Amino acid sequence: MGIYNLDKLFSPSSVAVIGPCSCSRQSKEWQLYNNLVEVGAGPVFMVSGDHECSCQCPIPKDRHYRKLEAIPDPPSLVVTFEPLSLIPELVDLCGRLGVVGLIITTGKRSMADDLHEAEIVRRAKHHKVRILGFNSQGIIVPASRFNVSLFDIPAKEGSLALLSQSGAIITSMLGTARERGIGFSHVISLGALSDIDFGDMIDFLGWSSRVSCILLYLENIKDVKKFMSACRSVARIKPIVAIKAGKSELGREVIKKHTGCPAGEDRVYDTAFRRAGIIRVDNVEELLIAGDHLVKSNVPAGSRLGIVTNSGGLGVLAADGLAQEGINVTALSTTLGEKVREYIAPYSGALDPICIAGDADHSRFKKVLDLCLEAREFDTLIVVVVLSHWLDPIPMVKEMRKKAATARVNLVYVWLGDRSQYESEVVGLNDKRTKICFSIEDAVLSCHYALRYYEKLSKLVVIPQRYSREVDYCQDSLEKAREQIKLYLKNRCMDLSSHQSQELLSLYGLPVNPSVKASSLKEVVARAATMSYPLVMKLDSEKILYKSDYRAVLLNLRSDEAVKKGVERLTRVAAEVGLEEARLTLESMIENVDYEINLGSRRDVEFGPYIFLGAGGLQARVVSDEEVILPPLDRTLARKLIARTRLVECHEIRPFDLAKLEDILVRVAQMIVDLPELETVALHPLVIANERFVVVDAKITLNDRGIVSPHHLSTVPYPNQYEFTETLRDGTAVLIRPIKPEDAAAHYEMVAGFSQQTRYFRFFSLREEISPEQMVRFTQIDYDRDVAIIAEVERDGKKISIGVNRLVYYPHSEEYEFAVVVTDAWQGSGAGRLLMEKLIYIAKDRGIPEIFGLVLRDNVSMMRFIKNFGFKVVESEYDVFKIRLNLQEEESGEEAMPSSPRIIF
């Protein structure tokens, strides 16, 4: 149900707590009730059912009921401690009473509870009651003084949002946070993710002004696509930091028993986190530390970092600390170095890091910092200051704040020594560009996490296309591959032989070693006569993966006699293995092999298909060095995958064509994208010989899950199937296509060219500028949820955007709102009509039942325009019409003049 009704879960009008012995001060019910009452929440009721109170009840009589329906004004949120067997009926009752949220604190106790869970979820969806749990320990929202939880450690107000499947993890983090003075905007125990899951909460909290950073403790993810989509969307505007339990096989087994759901491979989680823009950490303490640093730091404009200090030793320690985190100190240019030397005492200072000696006062520090800022050679400066009676750091910080903001440079100060007289002023000095630390280690970590987030943001822009233009295969090849797959499935052939696998691979232009089939001695000899020696003979069976293990491959056959003996040997092997017949293949022997590469795809239990790459050969089967990545791929992502393997080191020793390997990876990934029936694909091995790449053997297995591409992927590709080349009324060629992150500059130019009227119709106001955060939301959309298509023309060799049409999904109401605008210079060109036609086509193709829009009453031309597409006015409020189009009905209409309604970016 997405984020539907989640706002009411965090701000209920009243709360009811249901469970036995709810009046006992030692019970969980009393703990939760007491938390609610202590923070002064709205009306709180206890519902004890048929359970008799065994002690003197401390709860007021007007707040204590036997039945939920007996409460005069039904609550909007209910917390239950009842066993799962009783909760299906409770969900029905909540639905009838208008309860919008139900927190279930109990967990599964028997196999029968699996059935209860399914029934609870089914009924909750029917009544649109949101479920938090099972095994949820509740919610804390410190700023609202709302604590409906079982935690006995209070949470300080802050801007960190903590989401965890484990209540015990939250307890430990609350304790550590209290010791460190770290505050939270939200603390949420998600439990078993039966309804409300990570994706929902990240979506909900991502756009909250109270939240600056989201912390996650995960064991598994039930809806991977929703999770990835939410993270990619939110990580662009605020950092997400996660710790993932279950790195080991034993850990994953425990998670499966604990949650009832399997957990995916840790390395697949690792690559998924990279793709989603998530910063991964290793332990609970680091999770808190990373979050605390990220909420107090601005994202640097780049990765260039420098050090300015009045202590050589401390400068070295800072450089060492940064190096340990993989951060290099940026060297000064010759010009800047010469200017800085003027302020360094002879024989007492140095450059890289800049050491201005121990007698420096705040004036000398300021002059050096001025030079660094003016040079624009750094994005972050660590300023290590050893305090003394001649050095007052306050004036320096105050004077540099505005200059640092103008230069877009982060200043991280480290005050060491007697700081007692300055500590009271630190809070007022910290801002997004200025941070004051009291240790080298703290400053290093601050820079480390800020740079990690900067790197994540730069990688989020990479969105591979669904149909890669880097793969020169034709539609006929795709159709042939699909027909072959369909035939194999019809014949229940799920394990393809080597020959069948290579046939499929060849359709995608992969460099397979051609093979010929033969089934008798006579046929083998005849085939061999048409080929050049040396040859390789293989026993072709889907039952044999590693042929060398069964002696089912014969190499270096150099004569007709060797071929005949080979047929005899493999016929005996076939009988030993239990094959009904010996199907054989012949192929040319690949000699002078430099490298064997292990490449292919497998399916993860949570994330679906992933690509693997590593060194091949027998050694790789013993000690694997595989790296993995989620499809789809482009050359950029393929290059990054290669860079994480030992193949880069191999390339340095004996070079090979890295670009060709990138091409092969992209082709394999495209095959995985196109054919959701592929369960596993193994090129074992892909060899490099005589500067050629050759697939000498392959194995493909199938599994038809009834899923259509690209819905089997956990990451949604750029939908270039929705690119259309059209012509405007004056004959100008126009490309209608989905928007991309790199369209931001063209979008700024387009909006800047709007007239006041167009601007007013677009924004319902005369706002002049679009903030960088808004532009991120405009151009870096989630292709799985939203649609945004632009009209692009070329003028004087430059591509310009002349219009945009958007379809924005509102998960709380499950509606889609469209909004179209065309720049003033191109209104009346037909661009608006084309944008509307294509948006309607895309919406229908995606199965969207209807769309709506908002139009100002005085936008007469827009009202004429939308009537031609079949829109109807359904509501009118003040000066705004709400229009709606049912896409399940036939629409017809004539071409009309486009105009500029309100736009939702």
Side-chain angles (χ1 to χ4, degrees):
M1 287 189 278
I3 64 172
Y4 178 79
N5 268 345
L6 287 189
D7 54 335
K8 297 175 184 176
L9 189 71
F10 291 94
S11 56
S13 57
S14 59
V15 182
V17 182
I18 303 176
C21 302
S22 55
C23 59
S24 170
R25 292 180 184 271
Q26 284 73 45
S27 69
K28 291 182 178 180
E29 296 87 342
W30 170 256
Q31 175 67 53
L32 189 139
Y33 178 87
N34 193 52
N35 280 344
L36 281 166
V37 172
E38 277 194 352
V39 297
V44 182
F45 304 97
M46 296 297 297
V47 180
S48 59
D50 296 327
H51 301 279
E52 292 290 341
C53 297
S54 57
C55 58
Q56 185 175 359
C57 185
I59 301 170
K61 288 185 178 180
D62 63 341
R63 292 286 186 265
H64 200 165
Y65 291 85
R66 288 293 186 90
K67 295 183 178 180
L68 183 63
E69 58 267 37
I71 301 174
D73 188 8
S76 56
L77 175 64
V78 170
V79 185
T80 179
F81 291 84
E82 293 185 314
L84 297 186
S85 59
L86 301 178
I87 295 179
E89 292 184 6
L90 175 60
V91 173
D92 287 338
L93 177 59
C94 288
R96 292 195 299 270
L97 295 176
V99 175
V100 298
L102 177 62
I103 299 177
I104 303 174
T105 64
T106 46
K108 295 180 182 179
R109 298 171 182 171
S110 66
M111 296 293 289
D113 281 338
D114 289 336
L115 299 176
H116 298 144
E117 176 182 14
E119 188 61 19
I120 290 167
V121 172
R122 186 188 69 79
R123 297 190 190 191
K125 285 183 178 178
H126 174 72
H127 294 293
K128 293 191 174 180
V129 175
R130 301 312 306 267
I131 303 290
L132 185 65
F134 316 116
N135 272 333
S136 171
Q137 303 295 295
I139 300 168
I140 307 175
V141 186
S144 303
R145 293 182 56 78
F146 181 59
N147 185 351
V148 56
S149 79
L150 294 171
F151 304 116
D152 56 3
I153 302 174
K156 177 186 173 183
E157 183 179 346
S159 58
L160 284 175
L162 172 59
L163 309 178
S164 173
Q165 283 176 275
S166 167
I169 293 293
I170 292 179
T171 300
S172 69
M173 292 185 70
L174 287 177
T176 305
R178 182 169 61 178
E179 294 170 1
R180 292 177 172 269
I182 297 173
F184 298 92
S185 62
H186 302 75
V187 177
I188 303 163
S189 171
L190 291 171
L193 313 177
S194 297
D195 170 27
I196 300 171
D197 58 18
F198 284 105
D200 296 331
M201 290 312 312
I202 291 168
D203 266 332
F204 179 75
L205 298 172
W207 306 106
S208 169
S209 59
R210 289 181 177 179
V211 180
S212 298
C213 177
I214 299 175
L215 308 182
L216 310 177
Y217 168 81
L218 306 99
E219 293 178 353
N220 52 20
I221 304 168
K222 285 198 172 179
D223 192 331
V224 166
K225 186 169 289 188
K226 187 204 299 183
F227 173 81
M228 294 289 289
S229 178
C231 289
R232 284 187 63 87
S233 177
V234 171
R236 293 184 174 103
I237 57 173
K238 59 190 63 174
I240 301 174
V241 188
I243 178 172
K244 169 64 178 72
K247 287 188 174 184
S248 65
E249 191 66 40
L250 177 60
R252 290 192 289 275
E253 285 292 327
V254 173
I255 287 172
K256 186 175 181 180
K257 293 176 182 177
H258 177 58
T259 66
C261 298
E265 287 188 57
D266 187 70
R267 61 180 183 169
V268 180
Y269 263 98
D270 212 33
T271 192
F273 284 176
R274 278 195 291 269
R275 186 68 71 89
I278 297 171
I279 298 171
R280 185 173 185 177
V281 295
D282 294 324
N283 55 65
V284 171
E285 186 175 12
E286 189 184 2
L287 184 65
L288 270 176
I289 292 172
D292 188 43
H293 280 296
L294 286 165
V295 298
K296 297 174 181 176
S297 303
N298 198 22
V299 183
S303 58
R304 301 170 303 171
L305 187 145
I307 301 172
V308 179
T309 178
N310 59 353
S311 166
L314 292 174
V316 172
L317 287 178
D320 287 346
L322 291 168
Q324 194 169 355
E325 300 295 346
I327 303 170
N328 295 320
V329 176
T330 303
L332 277 68
S333 66
T334 303
T335 302
L336 179 57
E338 290 175 355
K339 292 179 180 179
V340 167
R341 285 187 189 279
E342 181 181 344
Y343 301 98
I344 299 178
Y347 310 111
S348 63
L351 301 173
D352 300 332
I354 301 171
C355 179
I356 57 178
D359 62 348
D361 57 9
H362 82 271
S363 177
R364 191 191 296 183
F365 259 111
K366 178 180 170 298
K367 288 176 181 177
V368 171
L369 291 175
D370 279 339
L371 289 172
C372 292
L373 295 181
E374 289 168 6
R376 302 295 176 100
E377 294 184 12
F378 302 103
D379 303 298
T380 303
L381 281 170
I382 296 180
V383 185
V384 183
V385 182
V386 179
L387 301 174
S388 61
H389 64 274
W390 62 83
L391 198 163
D392 184 354
I394 303 296
M396 174 172 59
V397 173
K398 289 182 176 179
E399 290 179 40
M400 298 309 303
R401 288 173 72 178
K402 188 174 181 180
K403 294 180 179 180
T406 302
R408 297 185 64 206
V409 174
N410 290 356
L411 294 179
V412 181
Y413 294 93
V414 184
W415 291 357
L416 300 172
D418 185 6
R419 59 179 184 268
S420 56
Q421 59 180 314
Y422 307 118
E423 285 183 341
S424 60
E425 298 188 55
V426 167
V427 175
L429 294 174
N430 282 321
D431 60 23
K432 282 296 185 178
R433 289 288 178 194
T434 303
K435 182 174 182 180
I436 298 172
C437 304
F438 297 126
S439 71
I440 296 288
E441 294 76 16
D442 200 33
V444 167
L445 286 176
S446 178
C447 295
H448 168 62
Y449 292 117
L451 283 171
R452 283 189 68 181
Y453 185 44
Y454 164 77
E455 291 168 359
K456 295 292 181 184
L457 288 177
S458 63
K459 292 174 182 177
L460 273 173
V461 176
V462 179
I463 304 173
Q465 300 177 355
R466 177 177 175 183
Y467 299 111
S468 176
R469 305 199 187 286
E470 297 169 340
V471 176
D472 57 349
Y473 73 105
C474 61
Q475 187 68 22
D476 287 345
S477 296
L478 174 58
E479 293 304 321
K480 286 180 182 177
R482 286 174 174 166
E483 287 300 318
Q484 285 189 16
I485 295 287
K486 189 183 298 183
L487 182 62
Y488 292 141
L489 293 174
K490 182 180 179 180
N491 295 328
R492 297 183 178 181
C493 178
M494 300 301 183
D495 297 307
L496 305 190
S497 68
S498 177
H499 187 79
Q500 291 169 328
S501 299
Q502 288 180 314
E503 282 183 334
L504 268 180
L505 295 173
S506 65
L507 291 174
Y508 279 79
L510 288 159
V512 300
N513 191 24
S515 63
V516 294
K517 295 190 292 185
S519 55
S520 66
L521 176 60
K522 182 178 180 182
E523 191 175 1
V524 170
V525 172
R527 295 283 191 184
T530 64
M531 304 172 71
S532 299
Y533 290 111
L535 298 176
V536 175
M537 186 185 301
K538 298 176 182 177
L539 186 59
D540 190 32
S541 171
E542 63 277 1
K543 294 182 179 180
I544 300 175
L545 178 58
Y546 294 108
K547 293 179 174 59
S548 57
D549 290 353
Y550 294 89
R551 295 172 287 114
V553 56
L554 301 176
L555 307 175
N556 205 27
L557 304 179
R558 294 183 175 272
S559 65
D560 292 348
E561 186 64 26
V563 168
K564 293 176 183 178
K565 291 182 178 180
V567 172
E568 295 174 1
R569 284 184 59 185
L570 292 186
T571 301
R572 289 196 299 270
V573 171
E576 293 171 2
V577 175
L579 301 178
E580 293 181 2
E581 61 175 332
R583 300 195 308 268
L584 305 175
T585 62
L586 280 174
E587 59 192 61
S588 298
M589 173 81 175
I590 305 298
E591 298 183 286
N592 303 318
V593 172
D594 292 323
Y595 299 110
E596 290 188 16
I597 297 173
N598 192 26
L599 188 156
S601 80
R602 303 187 190 96
R603 182 176 293 273
D604 182 72
V605 68
E606 288 193 271
F607 289 91
Y610 64 89
I611 309 294
F612 62 85
L613 175 70
L618 182 60
Q619 183 178 352
R621 291 170 58 185
V622 179
V623 182
S624 174
D625 72 334
E626 286 181 1
E627 292 289 340
V628 302
I629 196 169
L630 297 172
L633 298 186
D634 57 12
R635 283 191 176 274
T636 300
L637 291 173
R639 195 174 305 121
K640 289 179 178 179
L641 175 62
I642 296 169
R644 298 203 304 267
T645 69
R646 294 178 183 173
L647 293 171
V648 174
E649 299 172 16
C650 295
H651 178 266
E652 292 175 357
I653 298 171
R654 187 174 296 174
F656 57 87
D657 191 348
L658 283 173
K660 181 60 179 176
L661 182 55
E662 291 169 13
D663 178 73
I664 291 172
L665 279 166
V666 172
R667 289 176 184 276
V668 171
Q670 187 62 51
M671 189 175 180
I672 303 307
V673 170
D674 291 342
L675 306 173
E677 300 87 357
L678 298 180
E679 181 76 4
T680 63
V681 175
L683 282 57
H684 62 88
L686 169 69
V687 303
I688 305 175
N690 301 317
E691 300 183 355
R692 288 194 310 131
F693 285 81
V694 184
V695 180
V696 298
D697 208 345
K699 177 67 176 176
I700 293 175
T701 61
L702 306 177
N703 188 352
D704 186 10
R705 291 178 168 83
I707 302 174
V708 178
S709 176
H711 301 297
H712 63 304
L713 305 175
S714 57
T715 56
V716 180
Y718 172 80
N720 57 340
Q721 70 270 28
Y722 296 142
E723 292 184 348
F724 311 94
T725 301
E726 300 288 346
T727 304
L728 299 179
R729 289 192 177 116
D730 64 356
T732 300
V734 60
L735 175 64
I736 309 292
R737 62 167 176 82
I739 201 164
K740 298 178 181 179
E742 52 264 37
D743 291 321
H747 244 57
Y748 274 122
E749 291 183 15
M750 181 182 74
V751 174
F754 287 168
S755 66
Q756 281 199 343
Q757 184 187 57
T758 298
R759 194 178 301 276
Y760 178 64
F761 285 154
R762 172 182 182 262
F763 295 113
F764 283 21
S765 71
L766 297 177
R767 59 191 293 181
E768 292 292 330
E769 295 182 354
I770 296 173
S771 69
E773 291 78 14
Q774 287 174 317
M775 187 55 72
V776 167
R777 295 183 64 181
F778 298 172
T779 57
Q780 299 186 28
I781 71 165
D782 178 2
Y783 297 114
D784 192 40
R785 308 178 187 188
D786 302 330
V787 177
I789 52 175
I790 63 170
E792 186 179 74
V793 299
E794 189 169 323
R795 281 288 181 270
D796 300 323
K798 179 183 178 181
K799 294 179 180 179
I800 61 173
S801 296
I802 63 171
V804 62
N805 200 358
R806 297 181 180 276
L807 198 58
V808 178
Y809 174 59
Y810 295 117
H812 61 278
S813 58
E814 298 183 344
E815 292 182 301
Y816 289 85
E817 181 179 6
F818 88 93
V820 60
V821 68
V822 175
T823 58
D824 293 75
W826 293 88
Q827 290 179 15
S829 66
R833 173 183 57 80
L834 288 171
L835 285 168
M836 200 70 236
E837 286 176 353
K838 301 309 179 188
L839 189 79
I840 291 173
Y841 167 80
I842 294 169
K844 286 182 176 181
D845 187 59
R846 294 174 62 163
I848 296 171
E850 64 179 22
I851 61 177
F852 80 92
L854 301 174
V855 184
L856 288 170
R857 185 183 295 272
D858 56 359
N859 196 345
V860 178
S861 57
M862 178 61 185
M863 293 302 297
R864 289 199 304 266
F865 174 70
I866 55 96
K867 285 182 180 178
N868 288 319
F869 290 95
F871 282 91
K872 297 177 181 178
V873 177
V874 293
E875 290 180 28
S876 176
E877 184 176 353
Y878 300 108
D879 293 330
V880 179
F881 288 117
K882 185 174 184 178
I883 58 174
R884 193 176 297 276
L885 176 64
N886 188 332
L887 298 178
Q888 296 173 336
E889 298 176 353
E890 290 294 325
E891 304 96 29
S892 63
E894 299 177 2
E895 199 174 290
M897 294 287 285
S899 185
S900 307
R902 173 181 177 236
I903 298 303
I904 306 299
F905 280 98

